[in-house]
């Protein structure tokens, strides 16, 4: 439709976005078609693991039900430790269920995609009035509480997100986990953080979202209960 095509053309007025298209459009389009997905009709989902320093792009065409893994990127620097972000200045990368809420075509870090921290859960569980914000997936390789991927890689991811939004995808979801939350990942967390029962119960809660997607390759419906816990269906 006119409105969504317009999003792409508005973004391409910015030199860095235009450069990203000049350099990456052909290879990204080929990457998607190699997976049987038409870039002009695709939706994406972003999943990140802090311990493994990996960010995954999953996608499906609008006709498909299940997502498939398109590409895994290395996050090139990190700050903080495993565990959720609970206040401004803690250096933490958030953990939980978010979406892309901003496209920044002239970021201090080349290009950046804003992550919707603090979400409803963070506002209940975090430090009231001092939650902080400004969490981004961005270029460059420096970070405090963000996920930097280098300028070269952010060009691809930013282009994918612009295309998905242009295709009418209003919500690009971003799930951020402390680690790959399979059996061995959970054992690691329970052993390393045995003195922190609050983190362990938080991780058992978000693991439900990890497991649902792993099993079904469909995004779960997630809501937030009054105690700040996620309900995953």
């Amino acid at each position: 439709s006119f409105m969504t095509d317009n999003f792409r053309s508005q973004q391409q007025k910015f030199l860095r976005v235009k450069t990203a298209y000049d350099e990456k459009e052909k290879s990204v389009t080929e990457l998607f078609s190699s997976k049987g997905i038409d870039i002009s009709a695709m939706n994406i989902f972003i999943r990140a693991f802090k311990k493994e320093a990996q960010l995954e792009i999953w996608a499906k065409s609008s006709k498909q039900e299940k997502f498939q893994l398109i590409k895994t990127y290395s996050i090139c620097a990190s700050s903080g430790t495993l565990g959720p972000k609970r206040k401004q200045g803690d250096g933490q990368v958030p953990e939980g269920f978010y979406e892309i809420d901003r496209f920044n075509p002239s970021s201090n870090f080349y290009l950046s995609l804003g992550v919707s921290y603090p979400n409803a859960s963070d506002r209940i569980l975090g430090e009231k009035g001092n939650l902080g914000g400004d969490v981004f997936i961005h270029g460059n390789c420096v970070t405090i509480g963000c996920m930097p991927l280098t300028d070269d890689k952010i060009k691809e991811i930013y282009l994918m997100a612009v295309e998905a939004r242009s295709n009418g995808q209003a919500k690009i979801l971003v799930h951020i986990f402390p680690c790959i939350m399979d059996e061995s990942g959970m054992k690691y967390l329970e052993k390393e953080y045995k003195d922190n029962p609050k983190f362990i119960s938080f991780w058992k809660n978000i693991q439900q979202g990890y497991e649902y997607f792993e099993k079904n390759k469909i995004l779960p419906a997630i809501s937030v209960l009054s105690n700040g816990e996620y309900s995953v269906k």
Side-chain angles (χ1 to χ4, degrees), residues 192-206:
E192 292 294 311
Y193 293 84
K194 59 178 182 294
D195 301 333
N196 196 331
K198 214 181 229 181
F199 275 15
I200 289 171
S201 70
F202 172 76
W203 288 329
K204 285 183 170 159
N205 180 216
I206 65 171

Side-chain angles (χ1 to χ4, degrees), residues 153 182 205:
K153 291 171 184 164
D182 55 12
N205 180 216

Side-chain angles (χ1 to χ4, degrees), residues 11-75:
Q11 285 285 317
Q12 286 177 345
K13 287 178 182 161
F14 293 90
L15 179 62
R16 290 173 186 175
V17 180
K18 188 179 176 310
T19 301
Y21 271 83
D22 291 345
E23 291 178 14
K24 301 291 187 182
E25 187 174 23
K26 186 171 185 287
S27 61
V28 168
T29 303
E30 283 167 1
L31 174 64
F32 278 89
S33 60
S34 75
K35 306 275 183 183
I37 298 173
D38 173 1
I39 197 168
S40 67
M42 61 76 172
N43 285 179
I44 62 171
F45 160 56
I46 300 172
R47 185 168 75 162
F49 300 108
K50 283 163 50 170
K51 179 170 169 276
E52 292 80 6
Q54 286 179 350
L55 182 140
E56 299 173 339
I57 302 286
W58 293 74
K60 66 183 191 70
S61 75
S62 47
K63 290 192 274 296
Q64 293 166 328
E65 193 188 10
K66 291 175 188 276
F67 282 86
Q68 56 177 310
L69 183 60
I70 302 297
K71 192 162 179 177
T72 302
Y73 295 88
S74 295
I75 297 168

Side-chain angles (χ1 to χ4, degrees), residues 7 10-20 102-114 136-140 151 154 158 162:
F7 181 75
Q10 288 298 328
Q11 285 285 317
Q12 286 177 345
K13 287 178 182 161
F14 293 90
L15 179 62
R16 290 173 186 175
V17 180
K18 188 179 176 310
T19 301
R102 283 159 293 173
F103 283 74
N104 188 349
S106 39
S107 162
N108 291 338
F109 301 106
Y110 201 73
L111 294 164
S112 63
L113 297 166
F136 290 94
I137 296 165
H138 63 65
N140 204 298
D151 292 355
I154 196 64
Y158 194 93
V162 169

Side-chain angles (χ1 to χ4, degrees), residues 218-232:
I218 295 168
L219 287 163
I222 290 168
S223 53
V224 175
L225 307 173
S226 58
N227 64 357
E229 273 188 28
Y230 294 103
S231 158
V232 176

